[in-house]
Amino acid sequence: MAKRESNVDRVYEALRRMAADFAFKPDQRINESALSEVLGASRTPLREALNRLVAEGFLTFQNNRGFFCRPLTPSYILDLYEARVAVECEALRIACSRASDVDIAGFADYLDRMEPDYQSATELEELLSLDESFHTRLVQLSGNSELERMLKNLNGRIRYIRLIDLKRMRDQADGQAPGDVSAHRKVLDALRSRNVSAAVEALRSHIEKRREEATEAVRIAFSQLYVPDE
Amino acid sequence: MAKRESNVDRVYEALRRMAADFAFKPDQRINESALSEVLGASRTPLREALNRLVAEGFLTFQNNRGFFCRPLTPSYILDLYEARVAVECEALRIACSRASDVDIAGFADYLDRMEPDYQSATELEELLSLDESFHTRLVQLSGNSELERMLKNLNGRIRYIRLIDLKRMRDQADGQAPGDVSAHRKVLDALRSRNVSAAVEALRSHIEKRREEATEAVRIAFSQLYVPDE
DNA sequence: GTGTTCAAAATTGTATACAATTAAAAATTC
DNA sequence: GAATTTTTAATTGTATACAATTTTGAACAC
């Protein structure tokens, strides 16, 4: 019987979470020996996991200098959100012409079932997971596993920023409430009537709006990231 | 002074090339010891490189069973080409509204300079490199390094298929000649006049046309891949 | 004080050894 | 002879050791 989760998997998961939450500060050099002690594994499996994270864009690597946390700049955030637009809009376009009525109905059901949770969610993490799952399921409707894979990767790297964004939305409460699913429903309605251009435009403007908010929020993120160690 | 290229880099490059050219057959299990001898490195750096390739989608991995060559199915090819449409069309859209006139002019110059090479190219590899560089440069015009990164990855994984496709184009000579850059020029012209929808549609139909050819060519690829070892 | 050089310490790079696991082969049962 | 168990071999998983390289910092010159 094969062990479900190996040590490398465990290390990888822990590292991905740390990288996603910026437990490493941008551009910080990562000390392998210290990290391997913290994670309870030797450097060999640790480095394998680190290499995976480099390939996925969570970390960077320099010869003979080791692994570094990715930088966090406004243009990096912009790039990630633009990539999301590319992936999600094309997936939606494909879904409009290829997804079955049954699958779309299932997606609509899902949104109906989730809406109460969405509006009553208290934890930001919970809210973010719900939002992520909407977008993930949308891309899954395309049936394209490469697009799905790309979105998962982008979501992982963008997660921290979205958390900051959501937090600000809740605290300020000036624009739409964090639990507002109207934009999602607009996309769904257009998808249901197979109106490609309306669906894509609705999704595009939704993501771009979030991008603008996030770009603003990243300044706040910066100030939080560089809080001195205790 | 830092060594330019490390051993892992060398191993990684060799492996990527092997994977891109399907030197490993689809679903074939990869023997680490044997491979490390061939590549002249121990298993430690080899496995680091293999892990990177898994993260990039060139290989797969199963716990306690090791690394395998990715499968090659028609739906996999479809997914890759659709992902290319997503990445390239969005990059083009961004380039239309953001690239400077100077950069676009530089791109036009590049196409002019390359056209003679394109038409006189005898080696398929050379032709493919020229075609890839057109698409890469187009995406670079967007200034989005995530989209560029995604395209590089897709190109690497799609390379073998395109080679088969080009080969068939040359051998059959029924449709357009392999050196035909008219589709590329159409995209460029629309970009130059900042006509977003015309540019995107031209690019989309170009890639999709290639996808159809490639999907057809993949059957030939299959028969070539499974030639028995000698 | 600033910059340079050199030595010491820390860190990364990789080979190797051995444990854990899986795959293959041989023996056994029916 | 087919199916099952047992044994053996091969392969992967990971710790460790040590070499190569980089970083640190102390001594020194100016």
Side-chain angles (χ1 to χ4, degrees), chain B residues 163-179:
Chain B
L163 219 50
I164 300 287
D165 184 21
L166 279 174
K167 186 175 186 143
R168 204 176 65 116
M169 276 173 79
R170 191 179 60 176
D171 292 353
Q172 292 200 348
D174 57 346
Q176 59 172 168

PDB file of all heavy atoms in Angstrom, chain B residues 163-179:
ATOM      1  N   LEU B 163       6.804  20.500 -34.104  1.00  0.00           N
ATOM      2  CA  LEU B 163       7.818  19.964 -35.010  1.00  0.00           C
ATOM      3  C   LEU B 163       7.175  18.970 -35.970  1.00  0.00           C
ATOM      4  O   LEU B 163       7.427  18.986 -37.177  1.00  0.00           O
ATOM      5  CB  LEU B 163       8.906  19.290 -34.177  1.00  0.00           C
ATOM      6  CG  LEU B 163      10.359  19.442 -34.622  1.00  0.00           C
ATOM      7  CD1 LEU B 163      10.717  20.878 -34.886  1.00  0.00           C
ATOM      8  CD2 LEU B 163      11.273  18.865 -33.561  1.00  0.00           C
ATOM      9  N   ILE B 164       6.360  18.106 -35.410  1.00  0.00           N
ATOM     10  CA  ILE B 164       5.631  17.147 -36.227  1.00  0.00           C
ATOM     11  C   ILE B 164       4.745  17.875 -37.228  1.00  0.00           C
ATOM     12  O   ILE B 164       4.680  17.519 -38.413  1.00  0.00           O
ATOM     13  CB  ILE B 164       4.742  16.251 -35.322  1.00  0.00           C
ATOM     14  CG1 ILE B 164       5.589  15.481 -34.325  1.00  0.00           C
ATOM     15  CG2 ILE B 164       3.899  15.306 -36.175  1.00  0.00           C
ATOM     16  CD1 ILE B 164       6.369  14.366 -34.919  1.00  0.00           C
ATOM     17  N   ASP B 165       4.074  18.902 -36.721  1.00  0.00           N
ATOM     18  CA  ASP B 165       3.172  19.682 -37.554  1.00  0.00           C
ATOM     19  C   ASP B 165       3.927  20.313 -38.724  1.00  0.00           C
ATOM     20  O   ASP B 165       3.531  20.189 -39.888  1.00  0.00           O
ATOM     21  CB  ASP B 165       2.518  20.767 -36.684  1.00  0.00           C
ATOM     22  CG  ASP B 165       1.483  21.564 -37.450  1.00  0.00           C
ATOM     23  OD1 ASP B 165       0.989  21.060 -38.479  1.00  0.00           O
ATOM     24  OD2 ASP B 165       1.170  22.684 -37.026  1.00  0.00           O
ATOM     25  N   LEU B 166       5.051  20.972 -38.411  1.00  0.00           N
ATOM     26  CA  LEU B 166       5.852  21.617 -39.448  1.00  0.00           C
ATOM     27  C   LEU B 166       6.339  20.617 -40.483  1.00  0.00           C
ATOM     28  O   LEU B 166       6.340  20.881 -41.685  1.00  0.00           O
ATOM     29  CB  LEU B 166       7.055  22.327 -38.817  1.00  0.00           C
ATOM     30  CG  LEU B 166       6.796  23.695 -38.208  1.00  0.00           C
ATOM     31  CD1 LEU B 166       8.043  24.204 -37.499  1.00  0.00           C
ATOM     32  CD2 LEU B 166       6.372  24.680 -39.291  1.00  0.00           C
ATOM     33  N   LYS B 167       6.748  19.483 -39.970  1.00  0.00           N
ATOM     34  CA  LYS B 167       7.250  18.440 -40.860  1.00  0.00           C
ATOM     35  C   LYS B 167       6.181  18.020 -41.873  1.00  0.00           C
ATOM     36  O   LYS B 167       6.440  17.918 -43.067  1.00  0.00           O
ATOM     37  CB  LYS B 167       7.662  17.235 -40.010  1.00  0.00           C
ATOM     38  CG  LYS B 167       8.327  16.127 -40.795  1.00  0.00           C
ATOM     39  CD  LYS B 167       8.818  15.038 -39.831  1.00  0.00           C
ATOM     40  CE  LYS B 167       9.602  13.984 -40.559  1.00  0.00           C
ATOM     41  NZ  LYS B 167      10.721  13.482 -39.764  1.00  0.00           N
ATOM     42  N   ARG B 168       4.990  17.844 -41.332  1.00  0.00           N
ATOM     43  CA  ARG B 168       3.898  17.428 -42.199  1.00  0.00           C
ATOM     44  C   ARG B 168       3.576  18.521 -43.222  1.00  0.00           C
ATOM     45  O   ARG B 168       3.325  18.245 -44.396  1.00  0.00           O
ATOM     46  CB  ARG B 168       2.648  17.105 -41.369  1.00  0.00           C
ATOM     47  CG  ARG B 168       1.693  16.153 -42.077  1.00  0.00           C
ATOM     48  CD  ARG B 168       0.527  15.795 -41.191  1.00  0.00           C
ATOM     49  NE  ARG B 168      -0.279  16.957 -40.904  1.00  0.00           N
ATOM     50  CZ  ARG B 168      -1.559  17.092 -41.288  1.00  0.00           C
ATOM     51  NH1 ARG B 168      -2.159  16.118 -41.928  1.00  0.00           N
ATOM     52  NH2 ARG B 168      -2.245  18.172 -40.993  1.00  0.00           N
ATOM     53  N   MET B 169       3.601  19.794 -42.727  1.00  0.00           N
ATOM     54  CA  MET B 169       3.333  20.907 -43.643  1.00  0.00           C
ATOM     55  C   MET B 169       4.314  20.894 -44.821  1.00  0.00           C
ATOM     56  O   MET B 169       3.939  21.111 -45.962  1.00  0.00           O
ATOM     57  CB  MET B 169       3.457  22.239 -42.902  1.00  0.00           C
ATOM     58  CG  MET B 169       2.203  22.645 -42.168  1.00  0.00           C
ATOM     59  SD  MET B 169       2.478  24.106 -41.160  1.00  0.00           S
ATOM     60  CE  MET B 169       2.396  25.385 -42.406  1.00  0.00           C
ATOM     61  N   ARG B 170       5.578  20.666 -44.504  1.00  0.00           N
ATOM     62  CA  ARG B 170       6.581  20.698 -45.551  1.00  0.00           C
ATOM     63  C   ARG B 170       6.421  19.515 -46.513  1.00  0.00           C
ATOM     64  O   ARG B 170       6.469  19.657 -47.727  1.00  0.00           O
ATOM     65  CB  ARG B 170       7.987  20.666 -44.946  1.00  0.00           C
ATOM     66  CG  ARG B 170       9.064  20.966 -45.977  1.00  0.00           C
ATOM     67  CD  ARG B 170      10.426  20.959 -45.359  1.00  0.00           C
ATOM     68  NE  ARG B 170      10.749  19.665 -44.772  1.00  0.00           N
ATOM     69  CZ  ARG B 170      11.929  19.392 -44.233  1.00  0.00           C
ATOM     70  NH1 ARG B 170      12.856  20.324 -44.159  1.00  0.00           N
ATOM     71  NH2 ARG B 170      12.168  18.200 -43.716  1.00  0.00           N
ATOM     72  N   ASP B 171       6.217  18.323 -45.908  1.00  0.00           N
ATOM     73  CA  ASP B 171       6.116  17.114 -46.735  1.00  0.00           C
ATOM     74  C   ASP B 171       4.898  17.153 -47.656  1.00  0.00           C
ATOM     75  O   ASP B 171       4.990  16.808 -48.828  1.00  0.00           O
ATOM     76  CB  ASP B 171       6.058  15.872 -45.832  1.00  0.00           C
ATOM     77  CG  ASP B 171       7.385  15.648 -45.119  1.00  0.00           C
ATOM     78  OD1 ASP B 171       8.352  16.367 -45.442  1.00  0.00           O
ATOM     79  OD2 ASP B 171       7.437  14.768 -44.240  1.00  0.00           O
ATOM     80  N   GLN B 172       3.782  17.559 -47.089  1.00  0.00           N
ATOM     81  CA  GLN B 172       2.559  17.540 -47.896  1.00  0.00           C
ATOM     82  C   GLN B 172       2.486  18.724 -48.845  1.00  0.00           C
ATOM     83  O   GLN B 172       2.082  18.593 -49.978  1.00  0.00           O
ATOM     84  CB  GLN B 172       1.336  17.557 -46.988  1.00  0.00           C
ATOM     85  CG  GLN B 172       1.180  16.274 -46.176  1.00  0.00           C
ATOM     86  CD  GLN B 172      -0.239  16.126 -45.683  1.00  0.00           C
ATOM     87  OE1 GLN B 172      -1.035  17.049 -45.757  1.00  0.00           O
ATOM     88  NE2 GLN B 172      -0.569  14.945 -45.174  1.00  0.00           N
ATOM     89  N   ALA B 173       2.851  19.911 -48.324  1.00  0.00           N
ATOM     90  CA  ALA B 173       2.806  21.126 -49.134  1.00  0.00           C
ATOM     91  C   ALA B 173       1.444  21.337 -49.768  1.00  0.00           C
ATOM     92  O   ALA B 173       1.334  21.800 -50.898  1.00  0.00           O
ATOM     93  CB  ALA B 173       3.893  21.098 -50.213  1.00  0.00           C
ATOM     94  N   ASP B 174       0.396  20.991 -49.023  1.00  0.00           N
ATOM     95  CA  ASP B 174      -0.939  21.164 -49.582  1.00  0.00           C
ATOM     96  C   ASP B 174      -1.523  22.536 -49.218  1.00  0.00           C
ATOM     97  O   ASP B 174      -2.065  23.222 -50.059  1.00  0.00           O
ATOM     98  CB  ASP B 174      -1.882  20.042 -49.123  1.00  0.00           C
ATOM     99  CG  ASP B 174      -1.970  19.953 -47.610  1.00  0.00           C
ATOM    100  OD1 ASP B 174      -1.120  20.560 -46.940  1.00  0.00           O
ATOM    101  OD2 ASP B 174      -2.891  19.302 -47.115  1.00  0.00           O
ATOM    102  N   GLY B 175      -1.374  22.902 -47.963  1.00  0.00           N
ATOM    103  CA  GLY B 175      -1.910  24.190 -47.536  1.00  0.00           C
ATOM    104  C   GLY B 175      -0.881  25.281 -47.757  1.00  0.00           C
ATOM    105  O   GLY B 175      -0.255  25.357 -48.806  1.00  0.00           O
ATOM    106  N   GLN B 176      -0.724  26.111 -46.746  1.00  0.00           N
ATOM    107  CA  GLN B 176       0.263  27.170 -46.849  1.00  0.00           C
ATOM    108  C   GLN B 176       1.659  26.574 -46.701  1.00  0.00           C
ATOM    109  O   GLN B 176       1.837  25.535 -46.067  1.00  0.00           O
ATOM    110  CB  GLN B 176       0.003  28.219 -45.780  1.00  0.00           C
ATOM    111  CG  GLN B 176       0.049  27.636 -44.377  1.00  0.00           C
ATOM    112  CD  GLN B 176      -0.023  28.689 -43.294  1.00  0.00           C
ATOM    113  OE1 GLN B 176      -0.214  28.376 -42.146  1.00  0.00           O
ATOM    114  NE2 GLN B 176       0.133  29.945 -43.670  1.00  0.00           N
ATOM    115  N   ALA B 177       2.652  27.237 -47.268  1.00  0.00           N
ATOM    116  CA  ALA B 177       4.020  26.781 -47.086  1.00  0.00           C
ATOM    117  C   ALA B 177       4.438  27.042 -45.647  1.00  0.00           C
ATOM    118  O   ALA B 177       3.899  27.940 -44.995  1.00  0.00           O
ATOM    119  CB  ALA B 177       4.935  27.523 -48.052  1.00  0.00           C
ATOM    120  N   PRO B 178       5.392  26.269 -45.142  1.00  0.00           N
ATOM    121  CA  PRO B 178       5.826  26.465 -43.754  1.00  0.00           C
ATOM    122  C   PRO B 178       6.379  27.872 -43.504  1.00  0.00           C
ATOM    123  O   PRO B 178       6.279  28.393 -42.418  1.00  0.00           O
ATOM    124  CB  PRO B 178       6.924  25.406 -43.583  1.00  0.00           C
ATOM    125  CG  PRO B 178       6.656  24.389 -44.632  1.00  0.00           C
ATOM    126  CD  PRO B 178       6.062  25.133 -45.778  1.00  0.00           C
ATOM    127  N   GLY B 179       6.946  28.495 -44.528  1.00  0.00           N
ATOM    128  CA  GLY B 179       7.562  29.799 -44.338  1.00  0.00           C
ATOM    129  C   GLY B 179       6.611  30.969 -44.504  1.00  0.00           C
ATOM    130  O   GLY B 179       7.041  32.112 -44.573  1.00  0.00           O
TER     131      GLY B 179
END
